[in-house]
């Protein structure tokens, strides 16, 4: 495959810096980029001359997600299987990164959403900064937190993962560090110095790398006064509930006691999201908590294929129309209410597809994994 | 993978490559060791997860879990989620993974407080909402799932919860009437009232009818007066009594106008809202135990405690305000049976929890045996995986197959309980007695084997397999001593048999219908393929039950012909009674297994199920002495059976990992040795 300019690579002795280079689209991942990333990550794993991989984005975003409008286009032109193909490549890459044997440092400047989180959060070091904005906004789009999010969101403190995954709440750098999505916080002005230092150190030893990042880090970035991270108790109380309906009614009870902007925003975002998406997302995160990263991605692949096929709900297409194409921000979900989405319907998203050409996600074979990757299996 | 060979042929090719590379490196560094020096083991051991070296599952592990946990999977997994996400459940990182388990190094008092706080947490999350209002089989199954899943974390938590909801709550539900339901359900569900269940006494356990606590009625005040007349009448082992319980159900003889009406149950308050012990009550601690220290077992004495007349749980019998005893059931024996019958739910949960604990033990020991190696068979070859030794397979794999068989039986019991009718109560009682005994014995035996199979690692509390033995030992005797239960089964079978004979009708129920048919014939020369047929397996289990029942009938009637009393007869015929109890249980387990197997379409899952069924039956034939003792197997055939066990082990070996994965126990509930035990013990983790 001809090298694409959508992914640039900088070589400096044993360090490779991968730059997502589609700044006009906020580095949204195209199929081309995903293929290229898979190719270089495979290559570097085998290459003894490569010790460390740095990943960053060109322009003001790290990566705004998978290029879903392209996926929708493909599906509209051809078959849902083109969409399935995109996600199978993307999820296989996510798995590869989650079980990567060499350290990956992601410099998360600006927006990190959806697929952008998928190519960074699974890696060993996630460096956030002053202008980082993280979100898994899929439920508003008729999708669900994918790219292995059911693995990493479910492992956040308490039920913060359910909160982030269902509401699409935006987290800043300090919040990401506090909840564990990020490993380090480095002030914006020091980010390029850090990059230089990492290249200069030319080491693949996680301890050395960690020491270098620590030198540039702000260990205790201040959470903003109204940070949602101060609401953990309420979040745990409400988002630990068994069903989406119960979560909403628990939030409404909290609101009766003490209404404020945050709680009304939280309730609103759940009411605006696709009911089907909310239900499958909650179940996905709950199942993910008891599974390894490979099982999570395999399950998410079944789910995403069911979404793409659009047999039970076409919310994803409606969400993309309302938010990405027509931009009227007024999606008409179907089923329109939570109570209309039955357990049986939810079950369908978690079952193998009855299609003779369809297969479960094929995870790349791994061996000789480092212990931190083994523990994710 | 050819696992029948004792050579390390099943180690992955990757391991061989690695090892070879390391050998070559040492060679190039001119750092040779004599090739014959077996003691000198070479390069550092790396942990390799079994997932990477073992063959992929040949069947769908999710479908197999569905056979185990059925429609309760979501209920169970939700409780797992709640526990994993709370700091109260003591998450600890070991070898890159998070495990949750109680801190057993805490003092008894601390452990008890933690148990209570965990219950408070689950209650705050709404986990118990609807305990009394959820109706029908779904409600029962949900309650069972809740109790079972918390026990996977900690037996104390399960028992503490079980005492409050199943025993205290169950007594009110089943022995009480509307006035009790209206008054107690709500505060029980919200834990405003913390209940306990005072049945056992220092002097009387299994023999409930012998308890000595006495209650009389005072018509002038409309109150009952409860008394502990002597030290042996003190209530003993009362879970919750030592620290937390505010109320108890008291079992006591009821004496009306000088006539003893037998055992009845009353509600009594034992602590006030501030936790102070009420007047006329004395409470002492049962003290530190070999396990289950998160439950505050206590002792209670009643000194002329007065309670209102309404506190008699009056579903079966009542006392009128003027002191008349009223009951629809005249026969005190029947009254007592009707009274206790609904409490069978305790045995159902004990049996199910025993299976979950067995699964935890096996998942840990088998995962460890798939990553731990010992001894090289040939010089400079990697050491052999523990589970590639036929002897190690023989120790663990039959227990694995048996665990599946007994889990299916436990589900059968559960379904039988939730669909119970007044007519089926007796059957539920017999089946629950049999399975409670057989499953808990299996649990303890498996844990012991797992602990030994893990070597020294099995001794560490964090690795569970050893520690669980003391946590679960109690199940062998509570809610009925296992040996007593086995004898009760035989008595029940005898009664059924005699009743059918008396009516001159074919015998029906308890799966005994095979007795109406001619006795099956066992081939004189067994072969491997015969051993695996359902026909043979069913036949030999049936013939054993049939013969032992006949022997028991003969033995009992001989004693009675000599003028011995019924009671004495049963105490002297216990050997046959116990053999018969086992024969009944084993045949029942096989039958439920066949029923499950019949629901699965032909394919890889069915194949592995039938392999495990053959393993189950063959191991019973190999291990239970009755087959040789009574001649159902000739010594020649016993030798064929023994050989077959070895063969079955090697056939089951490639499925070992997928079979323990199908248990659906989340990693967090297993132990460090089940995963990266090298990292978990590295200097950097100290």
């Amino acid at each position: 495959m001809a090298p694409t300019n959508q992914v640039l690579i900088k070589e400096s002795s044993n360090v490779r810096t991968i730059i997502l280079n589609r700044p006009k689209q906020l580095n949204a991942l195209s199929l081309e980029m995903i293929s290229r990333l898979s190719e270089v990550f495979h290559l570097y794993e085998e290459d003894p001359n490569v010790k460390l991989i740095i990943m960053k984005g060109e322009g003001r975003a790290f990566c705004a997600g998978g290029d879903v409008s392209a996926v929708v286009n493909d599906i509209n032109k051809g078959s849902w299987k083109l969409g399935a193909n995109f996600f199978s490549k993307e999820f296989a890459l996510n798995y590869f990164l989650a079980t990567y044997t060499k350290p990956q440092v992601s410099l998360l400047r600006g927006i990190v959403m959806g697929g952008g989180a998928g190519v960074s959060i699974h890696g060993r070091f996630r460096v956030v900064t002053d202008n980082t904005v993280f979100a898994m906004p899929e439920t508003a789009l008729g999708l669900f937190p994918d790219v292995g999010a059911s693995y990493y969101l479910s492992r956040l403190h308490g039920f913060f993962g359910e909160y982030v995954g269902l509401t699409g709440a935006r987290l800043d750098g300090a919040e990401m560090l506090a909840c564990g999505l990020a490993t380090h916080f480095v002030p914006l002005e020091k980010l390029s110095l850090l990059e230089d230092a990492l290249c200069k150190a030319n080491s693949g030893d996680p301890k050395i790398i960690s020491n270098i990042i620590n030198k540039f880090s702000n260990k205790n970035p201040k959470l903003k006064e109204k940070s949602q991270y101060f609401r953990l108790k309420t979040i745990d109380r409400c988002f630990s509930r068994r069903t989406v309906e119960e979560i909403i009614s628990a939030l409404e009870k909290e609101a009766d006691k003490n209404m404020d902007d945050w709680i009304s925003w939280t309730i609103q975002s759940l009411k605006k999201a696709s009911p089907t998406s909310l239900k499958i997302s909650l179940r996905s995160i709950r199942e993910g908590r008891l599974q390894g990263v490979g099982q999570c991605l395999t399950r998410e692949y079944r789910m995403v294929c069911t979404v793409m096929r659009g047999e039970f709900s076409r919310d994803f297409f409606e969400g993309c129309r309302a938010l990405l194409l027509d931009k009227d921000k007024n999606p008409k979900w179907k089923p329109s209410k939570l109570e209309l989405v039955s357990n049986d319907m939810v079950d369908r998203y978690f079952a193998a597809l009855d299609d003779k050409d369809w297969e479960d996600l094929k995870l790349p074979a791994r061996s000789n994994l480092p212990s931190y990757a083994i523990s994710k299996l | 993978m050819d696992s029948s060979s004792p050579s390390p042929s099943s180690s992955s090719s990757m391991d061989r490559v690695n090892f070879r590379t390391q050998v070559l490196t040492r060679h190039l560094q001119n750092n040779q060791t004599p090739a014959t020096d077996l003691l000198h083991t070479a390069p550092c051991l790396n942990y390799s997860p079994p997932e990477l070296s073992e063959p992929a599952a040949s069947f769908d592990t999710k479908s197999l879990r569905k056979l185990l946990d059925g429609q309760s999977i979501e209920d169970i997994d939700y409780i797992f989620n709640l526990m994993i996400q709370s700091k109260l459940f003591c998450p600890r990182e070991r070898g890159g993974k998070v495990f949750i388990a109680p801190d057993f190094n805490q003092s008894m008092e601390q452990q008890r407080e933690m148990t209570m706080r965990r219950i408070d947490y689950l209650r705050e999350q709404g986990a118990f909402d609807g305990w009394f209002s959820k109706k029908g089989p779904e409600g029962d199954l949900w309650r069972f799932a809740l109790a079972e899943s918390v026990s996977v974390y900690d037996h104390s938590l399960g028992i503490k919860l079980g005492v409050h909801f199943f025993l205290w709550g169950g007594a009110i539900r089943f022995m009480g009437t509307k006035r009790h339901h209206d008054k107690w359900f709500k505060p029980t569900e919200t834990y405003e009232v913390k209940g306990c269940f005072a049945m056992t006494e220092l002097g009387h356990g299994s023999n409930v009818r012998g308890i000595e606590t006495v209650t009389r009625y005072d018509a002038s005040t409309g109150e009952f007066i409860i008394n502990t007349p002597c030290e042996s009448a003190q209530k003993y082992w009362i879970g919750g009594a030592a620290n937390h319980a505010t109320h108890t159900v008291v079992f006591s003889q009821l004496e009306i106008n000088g006539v003893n009406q037998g055992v009845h149950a009353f509600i009594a308050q034992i602590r006030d809202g501030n936790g102070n012990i009420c007047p006329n009550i004395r409470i002492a601690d049962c003290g530190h135990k070999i396990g289950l220290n998160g439950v505050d077992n206590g002792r209670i004495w009643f000194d002329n405690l007065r309670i209102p007349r309404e506190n008699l749980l009056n579903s079966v019998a009542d006392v009128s305000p003027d002191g008349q005893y009223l009951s629809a059931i005249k026969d005190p024996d029947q009254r007592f049976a009707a009274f206790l019958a609904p409490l069978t739910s305790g045995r159902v949960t004990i049996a199910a929890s025993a299976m979950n604990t067995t699964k935890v033990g096996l998942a840990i020991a088998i995962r460890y045996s798939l990553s731990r190696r010992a001894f090289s068979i040939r010089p400079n070859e990697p050491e052999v995986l523990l589970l590639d030794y036929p002897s190690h397979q023989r120790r663990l794999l039959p227990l694995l197959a048996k665990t599946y068989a007994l889990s299916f039986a436990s589900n059968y019991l559960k379904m039988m309980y939730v669909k119970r009718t007044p007519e089926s109560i007796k059957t539920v009682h017999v089946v629950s007695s049999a399975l409670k005994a057989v499953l808990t014995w299996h649990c303890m035996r498996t844990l012991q084997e797992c602990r030994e199979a893990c070597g020294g690692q099995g001794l560490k509390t964090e690795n569970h397999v050893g520690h669980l033995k003391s946590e679960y030992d109690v199940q062998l005797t509570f809610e009925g001593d296992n040996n007593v239960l086995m004898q009760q089964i035989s008595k029940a079978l005898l009664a059924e048999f005699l009743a059918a004979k008396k009516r001159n009708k074919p015998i029906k129920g308890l799966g005994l219908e095979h007795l109406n048919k001619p006795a099956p014939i066992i081939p004189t020369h067994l072969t491997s393929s015969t051993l695996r047929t359902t026909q043979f397996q069913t036949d030999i289990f049936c013939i054993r039950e049939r013969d032992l029942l006949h022997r028991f009938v003969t033995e009992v009637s001989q004693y009675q012909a000599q003028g011995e009393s019924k009671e004495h007869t049963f105490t002297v015929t216990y050997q046959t009674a116990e053999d018969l109890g086992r024969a009944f249980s084993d045949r029942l387990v096989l039958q439920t297994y066949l029923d499950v197997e019949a629901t699965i379409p032909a394919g890889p899952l069915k194949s592995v199920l039938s392999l495990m069924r053959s393993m189950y039956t063959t191991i019973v034939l190999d291990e239970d002495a009755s087959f040789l003792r009574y001649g159902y197997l000739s010594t020649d055939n016993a030798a064929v059976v023994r050989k077959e066990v070895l063969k079955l082990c090697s056939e089951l070996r490639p499925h070992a990992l997928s079979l323990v994965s199908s248990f659906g126990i989340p990693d967090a509930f297993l132990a460090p040795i089940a995963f990266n035990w090298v990292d978990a013990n590295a200097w950097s983790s100290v």
Side-chain angles (χ1 to χ4, degrees), chain A residues 68-356:
Chain A
V68 280
S69 37
V71 173
V72 172
N73 256 331
D74 279 352
I75 295 176
N76 287 338
K77 272 189 285 182
S79 135
W80 63 273
K81 284 183 183 154
L82 293 171
N85 177 49
F86 174 90
F87 287 102
S88 75
K89 296 251 162 60
E90 185 182 24
F91 291 4
L93 172 65
N94 298 142
Y95 179 75
F96 203 69
L97 297 185
T99 55
Y100 209 58
T101 56
K102 295 178 183 180
Q104 173 191 352
V105 178
S106 302
L107 304 175
L108 304 174
R109 205 182 276 128
I111 294 171
V112 189
M113 291 188 187
V119 293
S120 55
I121 303 297
H122 292 295
R124 179 113 194 212
F125 299 102
R126 291 91 61 188
V127 179
V128 290
T129 184
D130 303 280
N131 67 356
T132 308
V133 182
F134 169 94
M136 296 301 292
E138 287 85 356
T139 57
L141 210 63
L143 196 60
F144 62 94
D146 58 346
V147 297
S150 63
Y151 180 82
Y152 59 75
L153 287 182
S154 65
R155 275 151 182 84
L156 301 183
H157 175 92
F159 297 85
F160 196 62
E162 273 91 339
Y163 163 71
V164 170
L166 295 186
T167 63
R170 295 180 169 210
L171 309 184
D172 63 20
E175 289 169 329
M176 285 179 76
L177 184 71
C179 76
L181 281 168
T183 56
H184 298 80
F185 184 102
V186 173
L188 199 52
E189 67 274 13
K190 292 191 189 160
L191 219 48
S192 53
L193 297 175
L194 166 66
E195 203 181 327
D196 295 344
L198 287 171
C199 290
K200 219 170 106 199
N202 202 29
S203 166
D205 180 347
K207 279 196 200 96
I208 297 175
I209 297 167
S210 171
N211 283 338
I212 296 172
I213 310 177
N214 274 333
K215 262 189 245 162
F216 295 91
S217 291
N218 174 355
K219 297 271 158 31
N220 241 329
K222 218 169 151 6
L223 289 164
K224 55 182 187 272
E225 200 189 324
K226 289 203 162 172
S227 168
Q228 52 213 337
Y229 205 69
F230 295 125
R231 312 303 291 268
L232 280 183
K233 270 205 173 139
T234 313
I235 290 173
D236 281 354
R237 225 175 7 246
C238 301
F239 283 86
S240 60
R241 298 284 152 168
R242 177 135 181 198
T243 61
V244 180
E245 290 91 331
E246 286 172 60
I247 290 174
I248 293 178
S249 83
L251 285 163
E252 282 168 344
K253 257 187 218 149
E254 295 284 336
D256 286 344
K257 274 191 279 174
N258 201 355
M259 180 58 123
D260 62 22
D261 291 352
W262 172 77
I263 208 145
S264 76
W265 174 86
T266 305
I267 294 171
Q268 273 318 302
S269 62
L270 292 177
K271 295 211 158 152
K272 274 202 310 222
S274 147
T276 308
S277 291
L278 288 174
K279 287 208 166 174
I280 62 173
S281 302
L282 181 63
R283 171 132 160 220
S284 172
I285 293 169
R286 295 270 159 91
E287 285 194 9
R289 188 163 281 133
L290 311 178
Q291 294 173 327
V293 71
Q295 290 169 294
C296 284
L297 285 160
T298 309
R299 170 176 36 72
E300 289 176 11
Y301 183 66
R302 287 182 172 193
M303 295 168 68
V304 88
C305 287
T306 311
V307 170
M308 294 304 129
R309 193 158 69 160
E311 196 181 337
F312 309 117
S313 158
R314 297 192 58 81
D315 279 2
F316 173 59
F317 303 97
E318 173 61 10
C320 288
R321 181 203 62 75
L323 295 166
L324 305 176
L325 305 172
D326 300 352
K327 300 197 176 164
D328 60 16
K329 293 192 180 159
N330 188 20
K332 295 269 176 280
W333 305 126
K334 225 159 113 188
S336 60
K337 285 189 199 127
L338 285 166
E339 55 267 34
L340 299 176
V341 185
S342 69
N343 279 341
D344 284 348
M345 289 161 82
V346 173
D347 285 345
R348 309 283 186 92
Y349 287 80
F350 294 79
L353 276 73
D354 56 347
D355 183 307
K356 62 179 168 24

Side-chain angles (χ1 to χ4, degrees), chain B residues 410-427:
Chain B
S410 160
N411 286 347
Y412 165 78
L413 167 62
K414 221 184 281 179
M415 294 317 291
M416 183 184 244
Y417 175 82
V418 304
K419 293 182 181 160
R420 68 194 177 278
T421 58
E423 296 75 46
S424 72
I425 288 280
K426 212 158 79 186
T427 312

